[in-house]
Structure formats: C-alpha cells, structure tokens
Amino acid sequence: MSLIILLALVASSSPSYVPPYYEGQPTFAAVASLDPPDFRGEDVYRIEFNLDAKVEMPQDGFIHRSWEDFQKFDHLLTTHLMNFGLQFPSEPTTENLDAYMKRVMEHSGIVNSNVFHDFLGINWSGKDLKFMQSLAEFMKVVIPPLYRAPDFAPEPPVFTDEADCISAEETPFEVYAYLMGFRSQTSLQEFNEWFQAFLSTYPAFDGLEDDSDVQPEGVSVMIPPHFNQTFVHFLPGGYLNGQTVRISFLGKSKFNFLDETRIKEYLTMLYGDKNPKRILDIGTGPGFSAFVLAEMFPEAEIIAVDLAAPYIRMARKWQELRNITNIQFYHANAEDLSWLESESFDLINYAYVLHEIA
C-alpha cells in the first residue's frame, strides 16, 4: 500500500479537529516536535504553550509554524525593534528553534506583543468583524488601517466528517481566510493558491458521479456553460467544487441575505400574513432561505433547487440535523421544472440568484 493511500485512510478515520479560541497571556512556550507537512505542503514545528487565561478558556494549546514562519517572526521582531540577543538559528531543527523560543520567552516586551500573540495564534478570533453587514463594517475589511489583521494565520481546522462541517463553529483561521480574500487585491494569485490548498482539506460532499443521488428521479441536469465560467467569491472551482461548501456556509455571519434572522424579518414583512401552500426556492445554495420558509410556513411544501449538486447534499444533511421535514432539496435547473407534477407555486424566492448575477 502506498504512503499516500495509507495517509488518506488514516485521515478518513480520524475525528475532525476544530481549534479552540485561545485568549490569555503566554507563560510558557516550547517547540516540541517537527510534525508532518501542513496543507501548504510545508514541514511544520509544533509549538506548545501555556496561558494565564480566564477560567472558561483553554489554559494550554499548540500551534504549527514552518521554518519560513519563524523567519518572518524574527524579521517582524527586528522591524519592531524588539530583537535583542535572540540569536536566530541558522539551521531549522527542533532543538535550535526550541532554544530560540526559550530566549524569546525571557523578554517581557516580546511576550506581551501582538506579534508574538499572532505567532502563537492567540487573542484574535475575528468575531468582531461583521464584513458586509454595513458599509462601516465593510470599510474595516478592505482598509487595513481600520482593522488590524494578525501577522500569522491561526491554527487551521481539520474536517474529516461532513456533519462537522455544518455543526462546527467558525474558527479564527476561517475568519482570517475570509479577511485575507478581501485584502489580497495586489497578491490575488498567491492568495488563491493558498486558499485552494486549504479548501482541498475540506470534505467534498461527493455523491454518485452523475449526481443522480440528488436529482429528481429520472431527470438529468445539464449545467449551463456560463454557470461556472467565473469562480465567484474567490472559490476555486466555483460552486461545483464541493470543497467550497463550508466556506460558503460560513457566509451566514457576513452577508445579510444569508442571515436567517434577517431573512425571516424581511419575509415576514412581505408575506407574514399570507398562507402559501407551495413554495419554490431557486438557487437555494446551502438552504438558508428554504429553512426560513419551512419554519415560517410549516404546512407548506417547499421545493428548493440549485445547480450545484454538492450544495444540495449539504442542505439535505443539514435538513436531517435540523429535523425539518417539509422541504425537498433537488439538484435541478429552474429553467426546466417540467419534472414537477405541477409548476404552480404560491411563492417563488430567488434572492441568492439575484445576488450572484448583480
């Protein structure tokens, strides 16, 4: 058995790892080991640390950093005039880097600095960023002086289970990835390569090769050539790439039209006094609007369609987790709904579509 196949089997049987948010003052840090390459393909060193943290926060943790990350960290200390007597090693070994880390910990100015906290992946969650929820918030995202981003990415999550992709809270790393996407106009190709490498670690929400597992019985779907001609929102492979499902799903905290609370407020204002029996949700994506409609009108039949089969698989799995029974999710093209017993609907929603074509 090849090493690549063996590693894939090990990964598939391992539980997902969702890094916690760390907040506190470092009291100890040591380079413990050289670990296997990360998603970038770079060898990484495991740095273990202890924190003086609040009672409900983790008191210890770890972060992985490459040799290039260590070099960048030392350079930043130099530019911040904090690099005195640290003697950066000339060779990357666990022993050399651990000795360097011990010298770092002797300088209170470094230990208390944002640079060191960023290097350890602590004291930044990105939860205070609201992205596209208002113009003022958007300005923070695209104008770096208005909001400080970490100098280093936090520890990335590792998902081996599709259900975890839906149920797990957004990690600081994923907020960081979103933020860097908006700030990478001058280095977009470099960011896209980094982003694609990370997304390749996500589950792909695969199914049958012809996607018949999520299509109406006996109905095949032809994808229009224009659908995936442009990869929107920095998504490598576009919506047809199932490894983009989670990162799109996380848009619920960033875009008003994906926020179920806001969707419900708006739909209630428009249709709260109505009693639709049959509703069509076109371009449902992960299903945000479909779930709102299903909860608002529990007696209605909801038909939700999308051209991206992986997103329909995700929506069906989310439907199971939420125990909602009045939605039928299909991989289908809304330009041809002749497979339905009736093409008559009391309400048709396609807000997600309008956003993408605007």
Side-chain angles (χ1 to χ4, degrees):
M1 182 181 293
S2 73
L3 178 60
I4 293 176
I5 295 176
L6 180 61
L7 288 174
L9 289 174
V10 170
S12 65
S13 62
S14 302
S16 299
Y17 173 67
V18 182
Y21 167 58
Y22 299 104
E23 184 175 327
Q25 186 64 19
T27 59
F28 170 82
V31 179
S33 60
L34 174 62
D35 284 3
D38 65 2
F39 69 88
R40 301 170 296 180
E42 298 181 13
D43 290 334
V44 287
Y45 296 87
R46 178 186 173 103
I47 305 172
E48 298 179 349
F49 55 80
N50 298 135
L51 300 173
D52 180 10
K54 296 178 180 178
V55 175
E56 66 274 14
M57 291 285 186
Q59 306 293 307
D60 53 70
F62 66 88
I63 189 76
H64 286 97
R65 295 300 181 206
S66 67
W67 170 240
E68 289 74 16
D69 291 331
F70 272 94
Q71 291 175 311
K72 176 181 175 180
F73 172 64
D74 192 71
H75 174 73
L76 287 171
L77 293 181
T78 301
T79 60
H80 287 76
L81 303 179
M82 291 189 287
N83 192 344
F84 298 103
L86 294 181
Q87 301 172 20
F88 189 75
S90 58
E91 295 294 331
T93 67
T94 302
E95 294 74 16
N96 287 349
L97 292 172
D98 185 49
Y100 172 76
M101 188 58 59
K102 285 183 170 61
R103 293 190 290 272
V104 166
M105 289 300 298
E106 293 173 355
H107 292 261
S108 60
I110 297 177
V111 172
N112 295 326
S113 69
N114 284 332
V115 174
F116 187 52
H117 294 180
D118 293 347
F119 189 64
L120 294 183
I122 65 175
N123 296 333
W124 187 85
S125 68
K127 295 294 185 184
D128 54 333
L129 272 177
K130 304 304 178 186
F131 286 84
M132 302 284 285
Q133 292 188 19
S134 71
L135 179 59
E137 289 296 325
F138 182 61
M139 290 299 101
K140 293 180 186 178
V141 171
V142 296
I143 303 177
L146 296 181
Y147 185 88
R148 192 191 76 83
D151 288 308
F152 299 88
E155 184 74 8
V158 178
F159 288 105
T160 59
D161 182 80
E162 291 177 351
D164 292 338
C165 279
I166 301 169
S167 61
E169 289 290 321
E170 185 172 27
T171 64
F173 179 94
E174 291 165 317
V175 180
Y176 175 87
Y178 254 103
L179 179 58
M180 291 302 102
F182 281 100
R183 291 188 175 182
S184 298
Q185 294 91 339
T186 59
S187 55
L188 191 56
Q189 182 175 349
E190 180 182 354
F191 170 78
N192 282 340
E193 291 172 357
W194 176 88
F195 192 44
Q196 183 168 5
F198 169 64
L199 289 187
S200 69
T201 69
Y202 278 159
F205 288 87
D206 286 325
L208 296 179
E209 187 175 355
D210 63 357
D211 295 324
S212 59
D213 55 305
V214 286
Q215 293 168 352
E217 186 175 356
V219 178
S220 60
V221 178
M222 296 295 294
I223 304 297
H226 61 266
F227 177 68
N228 224 34
Q229 198 165 28
T230 300
F231 299 157
V232 298
H233 301 312
F234 316 105
L235 297 178
Y239 289 130
L240 298 183
N241 175 10
Q243 290 176 318
T244 68
V245 167
R246 174 169 166 85
I247 209 73
S248 294
F249 174 67
L250 296 177
K252 62 184 179 176
S253 63
K254 301 167 184 64
F255 304 98
N256 290 336
F257 73 96
L258 301 182
D259 181 336
E260 289 191 34
T261 300
R262 293 176 185 265
I263 295 172
K264 185 174 182 179
E265 289 175 356
Y266 191 69
L267 290 178
T268 299
M269 179 182 68
L270 294 176
Y271 310 113
D273 60 342
K274 303 296 190 296
N275 188 29
K277 297 301 182 183
R278 203 154 185 262
I279 301 172
L280 176 64
D281 191 43
I282 299 175
T284 192
F288 298 113
S289 51
F291 287 119
V292 171
L293 289 164
E295 292 176 346
M296 285 179 62
F297 306 109
E299 302 302 318
E301 176 191 23
I302 316 295
I303 306 293
V305 300
D306 200 281
L307 281 169
Y311 282 69
I312 293 298
R313 295 189 185 98
M314 177 270 175
R316 288 186 176 185
K317 187 171 289 290
W318 196 15
Q319 181 179 15
E320 292 175 10
L321 296 173
R322 296 176 68 152
N323 194 29
I324 294 177
T325 59
N326 60 328
I327 310 175
Q328 298 176 57
F329 285 104
Y330 291 112
H331 175 224
N333 189 336
E335 293 177 341
D336 180 9
L337 297 175
S338 58
W339 49 272
L340 288 168
E341 291 183 8
S342 169
E343 295 185 59
S344 175
F345 290 92
D346 302 311
L347 175 62
I348 298 176
N349 175 68
Y350 53 103
Y352 210 154
V353 176
L354 291 176
H355 167 79
E356 299 296 29
I357 65 176

